[in-house]
Amino acid sequence: MCFFKKKPQSDLNQQDRDQIAVNSKMIDVLTTICKDEEFIPELEKLKEQITFLQPSPNHKVYEADKKIKNRIDDLKIALVKGNAKSDDVSEKAENIFEDIRMMIAERNVLV
Amino acid sequence: MCFKSKFDKLTREDIVDAICKLEKESAEIDESIIAKQKQIDELTLRGRKEKSRDIRLFYAKKINMIKEEREQSVQRAMYLMYNIRLLNKLKKAVDDNEFFVKNAKVSLGNLLSDQKGLAKFLNKALNTRIDAESVLTEADETFQEVEASYEKNESIYGMGKDDDALLAVFETEETLEGEEEFADEANASAEQQGSEE
């Protein structure tokens, strides 16, 4: 028999804080992987935005952070592919950057 | 105790890492194919310029060997491309699964799945609308009834004896003015005829 207990607010807050930390570290990884100098300043800007996001015990905010992480993973694939220098991939990476910025803005509305 | 299948344990991160790894390998193989092709072109050029038969034979064997390696790399690149394509499909399936699981749990979505309750609610809304409209139409009918029962006050808006006498004077003056105008016109036309003769 399973008993479900509601997580306390502090745990939920910590969960979101951890997710933000993971996202921030992922950007560091991307900065190392990326060989295209055009994207390095954009990555640094993105890292700053993500690192200073306000954690929240709101479940929707946590879900938004998870979505941001998924998009960062897609960006990783685009940058790894882009190291072969293709215009299509550069455009794809730009689109993903734009998506992530929009997701961060929407996430901040929920907080 | 619940046992999760290997697909349930699979995380999006694992798939992404696998894709990145394969993309990297694919990029390396692409580079090696290009490098080999360059080598083949170079050796072919040298072989054409070379006069010694033995050295030409040597170049020929080397070119064939590099061609075989290039062919092997091409096969591997194709295999990797196919593998990456399948992993992308798997990633999409994981995203779809997460999307549908999340959206099905949304409370409004649950409300919509209750067809009976939804029909009841919609009927209630329709009846509310009909009631509100009938209030307005009844009010309009009441206005019309009240206005129809009203009779014009003849003392204020009707014609009295003195009014009748004045109206007769106005009509007479109007007739006289009309006759004067007619006479003036007749005189004017007669004078004109006289001057022409």
Side-chain angles (χ1 to χ4, degrees):
Chain A
M1 200 175 179
C2 298
F3 293 97
F4 296 100
K5 203 170 87 174
K6 195 176 173 183
K7 276 186 180 173
Q9 286 238 326
S10 57
D11 280 358
L12 292 169
N13 208 29
Q14 186 59 43
Q15 190 183 56
D16 194 38
R17 203 186 289 274
D18 292 340
Q19 186 62 58
I20 292 169
V22 162
N23 290 353
S24 181
K25 283 176 189 161
M26 284 288 296
I27 303 288
D28 285 334
V29 170
L30 296 188
T31 315
T32 318
I33 288 172
C34 182
K35 288 181 184 168
D36 194 342
E37 281 171 16
E38 188 192 315
F39 290 123
I40 304 280
E42 290 205 47
L43 283 168
E44 282 167 6
K45 217 173 167 182
L46 199 61
K47 180 179 160 79
E48 211 182 298
Q49 276 185 306
I50 288 177
T51 310
F52 297 112
L53 284 176
Q54 193 183 342
S56 167
N58 186 345
H59 184 69
K60 285 184 185 172
V61 173
Y62 177 62
E63 290 297 322
D65 285 329
K66 275 167 81 176
K67 275 189 189 167
I68 291 171
K69 185 196 174 284
N70 287 349
R71 222 54 190 115
I72 293 173
D73 285 342
D74 293 340
L75 183 58
K76 185 181 176 187
I77 296 173
L79 290 176
V80 164
K81 240 177 155 173
N83 289 338
K85 298 263 179 184
S86 160
D87 284 334
D88 285 343
V89 177
S90 177
E91 201 183 308
K92 196 170 181 184
E94 271 294 339
N95 288 339
I96 297 174
F97 269 116
E98 201 52 52
D99 276 350
I100 294 174
R101 278 185 221 118
M102 206 154 40
M103 281 166 137
I104 291 172
E106 283 171 359
R107 180 238 186 245
N108 285 334
V109 167
L110 294 171
V111 170
Chain B
M1 203 173 166
C2 304
F3 291 99
K4 278 188 174 181
S5 81
K6 51 190 168 187
F7 285 102
D8 290 330
K9 288 180 200 167
L10 186 66
T11 63
R12 199 180 189 275
E13 221 177 273
D14 297 334
I15 303 172
V16 165
D17 287 341
I19 293 172
C20 286
K21 204 173 160 189
L22 292 177
E23 287 283 0
K24 235 172 155 178
E25 247 183 270
S26 174
E28 282 166 14
I29 291 177
D30 287 348
E31 276 175 29
S32 80
I33 291 171
I34 293 169
K36 285 188 174 74
Q37 187 57 45
K38 271 187 183 160
Q39 259 185 313
I40 291 168
D41 294 339
E42 209 181 306
L43 288 168
T44 313
L45 206 63
R46 276 197 220 165
R48 282 197 189 125
K49 287 179 184 170
E50 189 51 58
K51 292 198 173 107
S52 159
R53 196 178 171 278
D54 288 338
I55 297 175
R56 273 187 178 180
L57 184 62
F58 165 71
Y59 283 150
K61 284 188 186 293
K62 197 163 180 187
I63 288 169
N64 283 329
M65 189 185 80
I66 296 172
K67 274 186 178 174
E68 268 175 34
E69 285 171 11
R70 186 195 61 183
E71 213 31 61
Q72 211 176 42
S73 299
V74 164
Q75 300 272 340
R76 284 180 189 172
M78 285 184 185
Y79 173 81
L80 283 175
M81 261 170 28
Y82 192 72
N83 202 350
I84 290 166
R85 200 158 65 94
L86 290 177
L87 283 176
N88 275 317
K89 280 188 178 179
L90 187 59
K91 181 167 76 86
K92 193 170 172 287
V94 166
D95 287 342
D96 283 348
N97 187 40
E98 216 176 288
F99 173 81
F100 286 114
V101 160
K102 242 183 260 167
N103 282 289
K105 279 184 191 166
V106 164
S107 57
L108 288 177
N110 283 337
L111 282 177
L112 290 172
S113 67
D114 175 16
Q115 300 297 324
K116 259 188 181 172
L118 180 66
K120 209 174 167 182
F121 173 74
L122 289 173
N123 278 322
K124 191 178 165 191
L126 186 66
N127 288 335
T128 309
R129 180 183 161 182
I130 292 170
D131 288 343
E133 283 171 2
S134 64
V135 162
L136 290 179
T137 49
E138 279 167 21
D140 194 23
E141 279 167 19
T142 307
F143 277 124
Q144 284 175 16
E145 265 177 41
V146 168
E147 276 174 11
S149 67
Y150 169 73
E151 275 179 27
K152 210 161 69 169
N153 187 330
E154 287 299 325
S155 311
I156 302 171
Y157 306 109
M159 209 156 31
K161 269 192 289 186
D162 300 335
D163 300 326
D164 196 25
L166 270 171
L167 277 173
V169 168
F170 292 149
E171 276 166 21
T172 314
E173 279 187 22
E174 212 178 292
T175 317
L176 281 174
E177 275 173 23
E179 283 173 3
E180 273 177 29
E181 276 177 26
F182 182 73
D184 287 341
E185 277 171 19
N187 285 336
S189 61
E191 278 175 21
Q192 208 176 1
Q193 269 183 355
S195 61
E196 276 172 11
E197 281 172 11

